[in-house]
Amino acid sequence: MPADSAGTRPPSATTPPSVRLNAWAELLRLPALFTVPGDALAGVAAAGAGRPGRRALLAVGCSLCLYEAGMALNDWADRAEDAVERPHRPLPSGRVRPAAALTAACVFTAAGLALAARAGRPALTVAVPLAATVWSYDLGLKRTPAGPGAMAAARGLDLLLGAAATTGRVRPALAPAALLGTHTLAVTAVSRQETRTGSPLTPLAALTATALLARALPPRPPTLLGTALAAGYAATVARPYLHAALNPSPPLTQRAVGAGIRATIPLQAALAARTGATATALVTAALGPLARRFARRVSLT
């Protein structure tokens, strides 16, 4: 069967539907979706908007769409590289057509911006640069020194989206957005070593950043919930980062990246708990076990 210009093979018309669905689940990193709602919910809590309502749900929907746009676009942009380094992925293995992945990225982006528009002009004002950051990262920035910073900016904007959608004000959410962005910066820096033996300094720096974040997360005065969530955040990544620092091989680095992605959930919950939004923190934290369960079937990275 002929390959396309990136070395992928078109899927067969006789491919079973279950295989195609699994391929799309892998392409879109479905378990990682559980790490997304907490961004907007933490922003809602930081803005003091109270119980999340319709506009908060629209912000969450926008976040989910733009995240999936980034996942599809990422593999489309990396299809030639993946054909050499990760031939098992959906595009180089021929289970998903490159054109279908690009179309999905466009549709998800349009849907996300439409949901942000429904949430109001302030939300759309944040969603547009968020979408631009996602596309810029996937189409070029991730291969430059600016890559980790761009990914951190995307996560920070995602948190600000929740604040903008509910109150129209982002200033109260700037500090938690910076904390979330710092965590994302560390995880992204480690992920750049996933396919090769890298430097132990990168996971060691990520471990140090995690310790500093965990110390800054509990509210003042400390609460039991806030302290527990901060400890849970640190515990999720401490050992994988340490193992990757001691042996920065691809398997251990990939495990550390997966742990870093999962740790986003207790971090988001801790950020909500800092503002006294106990219910939001608990709902966000409950997404963690779901992410772990589904990650056993589909890789997070």
Side-chain angles (χ1 to χ4, degrees), residues 29 69-79 89 137-138 142:
R29 318 292 201 281
M71 293 298 99
L73 186 63
N74 175 79
D75 279 25
W76 180 83
D78 286 354
R79 64 195 186 281
R89 282 192 167 179
Y137 174 83
D138 282 334
K142 66 181 169 185

Side-chain angles (χ1 to χ4, degrees), residues 45-121:
R51 181 178 300 178
R54 171 181 168 275
R55 290 190 176 184
L57 294 178
L58 288 170
V60 169
C62 173
S63 297
L64 292 169
C65 287
L66 294 182
Y67 189 88
E68 291 294 47
M71 293 298 99
L73 186 63
N74 175 79
D75 279 25
W76 180 83
D78 286 354
R79 64 195 186 281
E81 177 183 325
D82 286 345
V84 177
E85 298 181 349
R86 307 176 187 90
H88 60 281
R89 282 192 167 179
L91 268 64
S93 67
R95 290 175 291 145
V96 175
R97 294 177 183 271
L102 181 59
T103 299
C106 294
V107 170
F108 276 123
T109 300
L113 294 177
L115 289 171
R118 291 288 301 275
R121 180 173 295 180

Side-chain angles (χ1 to χ4, degrees), residues 21-30 75 88-90 95 298-299 301:
L21 288 175
N22 287 338
W24 277 98
E26 185 180 339
L27 175 74
L28 298 176
R29 318 292 201 281
L30 289 188
D75 279 25
H88 60 281
R89 282 192 167 179
R95 290 175 291 145
V298 179
S299 173
T301 65

Side-chain angles (χ1 to χ4, degrees), residues 163-257:
T166 49
T167 67
R169 296 177 292 109
V170 299
R171 185 180 295 274
L174 290 177
L179 294 175
L180 180 62
T182 300
H183 168 74
T184 306
L185 180 71
V187 177
T188 307
V190 174
S191 74
R192 291 161 77 94
Q193 303 182 169
E194 279 188 293
T195 60
R196 55 183 171 80
T197 299
S199 168
L201 295 180
T202 303
L204 189 60
L207 181 61
T208 302
T210 298
L212 294 174
L213 286 172
R215 184 175 180 180
L217 282 174
R220 300 289 185 268
T223 63
L224 179 60
L225 177 61
T227 302
L229 289 170
Y233 160 67
T236 302
V237 289
R239 182 176 294 180
Y241 278 165
L242 180 59
H243 287 172
L246 295 174
N247 179 12
S249 62
L252 291 181
T253 299
Q254 290 166 14
R255 189 175 303 173
V257 173

